[in-house]
Amino acid sequence: MSFHVAGPAHPLILDDVRGAQKMLSGVAKLTPMEGSRYLSDLVGAPVHLKCENLQRTGSFKLRGAYVRISGLRPEERAAGVVAASAGNHAQGVALASALLGVRSTVFMPVGAPLPKVAATREYGADVRLRGQVVDESLAAARDYARDTGAVFIHPFDHPDIIAGQGTVGLEILEQCPEVRTIIVGMGGGGLAAGIAVAVKALRPDVRIIGVQAEGAAAYPPSLEAGRPVAIEAPATMADGIKVGCPGEVPFAIVEELVDEVRTVSEGALSSALLLCLERAKLVVEPAGVSTVAALLSEPRSVHGPVVAVLSGGNVDPLLMQRILRHGMAAAGRYLSLRLRLADRPGALATLLSVLSTLDANVLDVAHVRTDPRLGLTEVEVELQLETKGREHCAEVERALRDGGYRVMS
């Protein structure tokens, strides 16, 4: 689904982004641009991946955080800074503060992935776990700022943050001067807004497309209303773009300069993550692959050359495992089956032999004898299989039924 956008003048100019680029020299990495043959064939034009997942701290967030904290007055620096985040912004603020010699406190949800909590602490922040969701951590951070005088560092709703993120756009134009379309993930909108300010000033012909997860898409209703509108209970695996309401500052820029906002499904996100891992050999978090998910969903709807921004790579290993399994299922490469067998010696071995001839890789087997739904001479077998695609899944199920097996699901 897509939404056309247009609107009033924006509050930042190209010089703001260029100033941020000078400030970030020697701090933020010039992240690589990688071509994708698979996506290029799918789209029918060159597709390049801007790898901010390889940035310091694993995401673009360091850029904006460093610029924001660099701009603080001496007395503000002395008071320290405070932020709230489930991961990427937390790490960006922690490292930026350490580099600038500023004390940082970061509030994170109690259920934040342990690797992200550990990394934030290792970058030097005082991490405090508060609340079950980021909104509750955000409230705690604001209370802390009010009580202590620490400067609150918003993840996206500040001109300095947006200027810092906009340096990604300048790099894209340097690395791929022939670009015609830039696709960027959107939560609060800071990255998309910054890229739009930089790119539209230099190349107004370049089309900029923002992407949101369907379950956390606050921009479409906001753009329709002409002002930031909060949505209730945003839900998506892409926690990096799970934002319930756009920021005032980025919203004005997105409304003015971003050409289109699209939404993508959870299935598309998991398929995109799997694709980046297998084809591009890149570990990217769900929010970071939203741009690839948009290309997979509507490959022939963009003009190339295309640059898709991979905004981050901080993904919890346990979540990665679940997402990969979801992605394999969405691609028809993971099949879950329940079968009823006669309870006699050798029955399971015979079944596994049949699956071997069908070239289906058995990942897991559960053998159930005590379910009251089973007859006295029956057992139920739950199988997790790795397959080659949807046609292969259908072939496996058909062959089992033709072989006399009772396939329950």
Side-chain angles (χ1 to χ4, degrees):
M1 187 178 297
S2 63
F3 306 84
H4 180 69
V5 299
H10 56 85
L12 291 178
I13 60 174
L14 176 62
D15 284 348
D16 296 320
V17 183
R18 284 179 166 159
Q21 188 176 46
K22 291 179 182 178
M23 195 177 296
L24 287 167
S25 178
V27 176
K29 291 171 57 177
L30 172 62
T31 51
M33 187 90 75
E34 299 288 344
S36 171
R37 182 178 301 173
Y38 179 87
L39 289 173
S40 297
D41 290 344
L42 196 67
V43 171
V47 175
H48 306 280
L49 306 175
K50 175 60 171 168
C51 299
E52 281 295 291
N53 59 310
L54 302 179
Q55 183 58 262
R56 295 178 71 178
T57 74
S59 89
F60 71 96
K61 289 289 191 177
L62 171 65
R63 297 173 184 262
Y66 188 88
V67 173
R68 173 77 174 98
I69 298 169
S70 292
L72 296 179
R73 300 187 303 273
E75 61 272 23
E76 291 176 319
R77 292 193 185 199
V81 299
V82 61
S85 166
N88 289 348
H89 181 58
Q91 293 173 72
V93 168
L95 179 56
S97 298
L99 293 172
L100 292 164
V102 177
R103 185 177 69 258
S104 65
T105 302
V106 176
F107 288 83
M108 304 180 75
V110 172
L114 293 179
K116 294 184 178 182
V117 174
T120 304
R121 284 193 171 122
E122 287 168 9
Y123 286 128
D126 174 14
V127 175
R128 304 187 182 192
L129 303 179
R130 297 287 191 280
Q132 299 301 314
V133 295
V134 176
D135 284 345
E136 294 174 359
S137 304
L138 188 63
R142 290 188 183 279
D143 289 344
Y144 180 89
R146 185 190 63 243
D147 296 341
T148 66
V151 179
F152 178 67
I153 307 299
H154 198 284
F156 51 81
D157 200 13
H158 192 280
D160 290 348
I161 293 284
I162 295 169
Q165 322 304 29
T167 59
V168 176
L170 294 180
E171 290 179 13
I172 289 172
L173 294 183
E174 293 166 4
Q175 294 171 301
C176 186
E178 69 277 14
V179 63
R180 294 182 65 193
T181 303
I182 296 173
I183 307 180
V184 55
M186 293 173 62
L191 179 60
I195 289 175
V197 168
V199 172
K200 289 292 189 178
L202 296 168
R203 286 280 310 280
D205 59 300
V206 173
R207 186 169 180 80
I208 298 178
I209 299 174
V211 183
Q212 294 206 285
E214 285 179 355
Y219 263 93
S222 297
L223 292 166
E224 185 174 345
R227 57 180 174 80
V229 173
I231 59 171
E232 293 185 7
T236 174
M237 69 174 76
D239 60 345
I241 54 174
K242 189 169 72 172
V243 176
C245 186
E248 294 280 353
V249 180
F251 176 80
I253 299 171
V254 169
E255 191 179 35
E256 167 81 11
L257 296 178
V258 173
D259 296 283
E260 183 183 352
V261 175
R262 298 183 180 183
T263 60
V264 292
S265 68
E266 298 295 285
L269 287 169
S270 57
S271 295
L273 189 147
L274 182 63
L275 178 112
C276 284
L277 189 63
E278 287 191 325
R279 298 300 183 101
K281 310 301 183 264
L282 292 168
V283 176
V284 191
E285 63 187 274
V289 297
S290 60
T291 54
V292 176
L295 289 175
L296 292 177
S297 300
E298 298 181 74
R300 296 287 173 164
S301 65
V302 294
H303 297 292
V306 178
V307 172
V309 180
L310 306 181
S311 58
N314 293 315
V315 56
D316 178 58
L318 294 177
L319 176 61
M320 170 76 87
Q321 185 179 39
R322 294 197 299 271
I323 293 171
L324 289 178
R325 184 164 290 192
H326 187 269
M328 290 178 68
R333 293 174 49 199
Y334 184 85
L335 181 61
S336 179
L337 291 173
R338 287 189 302 118
L339 300 93
R340 296 281 175 87
L341 306 179
D343 189 9
R344 62 171 182 264
L348 180 59
T350 300
L351 171 61
L352 296 178
S353 177
V354 170
L355 291 170
S356 178
T357 63
L358 293 170
D359 205 19
N361 184 30
V362 179
L363 300 175
D364 194 20
V365 179
H367 206 216
V368 180
R369 280 194 172 90
T370 57
D371 194 309
R373 294 172 299 174
L374 297 172
L376 286 174
T377 60
E378 284 186 319
V379 294
E380 186 170 279
V381 176
E382 296 179 1
L383 295 167
Q384 311 295 331
L385 307 175
E386 182 183 4
T387 51
K388 299 177 181 179
R390 293 183 179 85
E391 291 184 4
H392 190 209
C393 289
E395 178 189 340
V396 169
E397 291 196 50
R398 185 168 56 249
L400 289 172
R401 287 193 171 94
D402 290 348
Y405 289 98
R406 293 176 59 193
V407 180
M408 311 303 292
S409 62

